[in-house]
Amino acid sequence: MWGAGLINGLRITMRNMLRGPITVKYPHEKVELPERARWAVAPRWFEDGSPRCTACMTCVRTCPDHILSLDVETREDKSKHIVRFDYELGACMMCGLCVEACPFDAIEMSHEYELAVTDPAGLRRTLLQDVDAASAAKHREEKAKSEGAVSDEAGDRADG
């Protein structure tokens, strides 16, 4: 009995010795993270470069840590203008609830994982500043474009 355990331990040790290094020389080499990795919150944009955010405040209300702040002005023509959309990176637990709650896919969890800063002021980020909020009509138009492209691809596959 005692000898079998010793041999099994030596077998495991030899297998791990022959495996080779599994570490990465970090600043010079970077690990490719899986698509599911969640890090800091980042805004999403339309193809024309305008922000997808409609200033509906759903993400701000959903955040359990209360780290998102959105200052919005409503103009006379009922359009919204985003004065400032801030994010406190240092207090975020990166749960992704704000991203899931956003009905317009206006924010996402980015793949930026080098989040260390030397100045605490760097932990507060401005996601959007002094931009017009997107309208629901623009989102419907974008959705119609994407659905049209998908149906065209399906038609091409059926013809091909």
Side-chain angles (χ1 to χ4, degrees):
M1 287 284 189
W2 187 76
L6 181 66
I7 292 172
N8 191 30
L10 288 172
R11 182 181 57 81
I12 292 171
T13 302
M14 290 302 292
R15 183 178 65 206
N16 286 327
M17 272 184 23
L18 299 174
R19 177 178 62 195
I22 57 172
T23 57
V24 175
K25 297 176 182 168
Y26 167 64
H28 308 292
E29 298 176 22
K30 299 198 176 167
V31 176
E32 185 68 29
L33 295 176
E35 186 64 30
R36 292 178 39 180
R38 296 187 309 220
W39 297 97
V41 173
R44 294 192 63 212
W45 310 88
F46 285 116
E47 290 178 8
D48 65 358
S50 61
R52 296 178 63 96
C53 182
T54 59
C56 66
M57 305 280 289
T58 304
C59 59
V60 175
R61 280 178 279 179
T62 304
C63 180
D65 292 333
H66 307 290
I67 53 129
L68 295 171
S69 65
L70 183 59
D71 297 329
V72 181
E73 289 179 351
T74 304
R75 296 188 175 149
E76 292 176 11
D77 63 349
K78 304 291 184 200
S79 66
K80 292 181 181 179
H81 180 78
I82 300 171
V83 177
R84 193 175 180 99
F85 187 16
D86 286 336
Y87 168 60
E88 291 182 43
L89 176 63
C92 182
M93 67 178 165
M94 298 175 194
C95 63
L97 291 174
C98 56
V99 174
E100 289 178 26
C102 182
F104 299 103
D105 290 331
I107 55 176
E108 65 183 354
M109 300 303 284
S110 71
H111 292 286
E112 175 189 5
Y113 64 90
E114 295 175 332
L115 304 174
V117 294
T118 56
D119 182 25
L123 294 174
R124 184 166 185 88
R125 294 186 177 176
T126 301
L127 300 178
L128 298 172
Q129 184 173 5
D130 198 31
V131 294
D132 289 330
S135 64
K138 185 161 186 171
H139 280 282
R140 284 192 294 271
E141 176 184 311
E142 189 76 16
K143 187 176 180 180
K145 279 184 196 176
S146 66
E147 287 176 355
V150 170
S151 65
D152 288 345
E153 290 175 9
D156 291 344
R157 280 185 258 159
D159 292 340

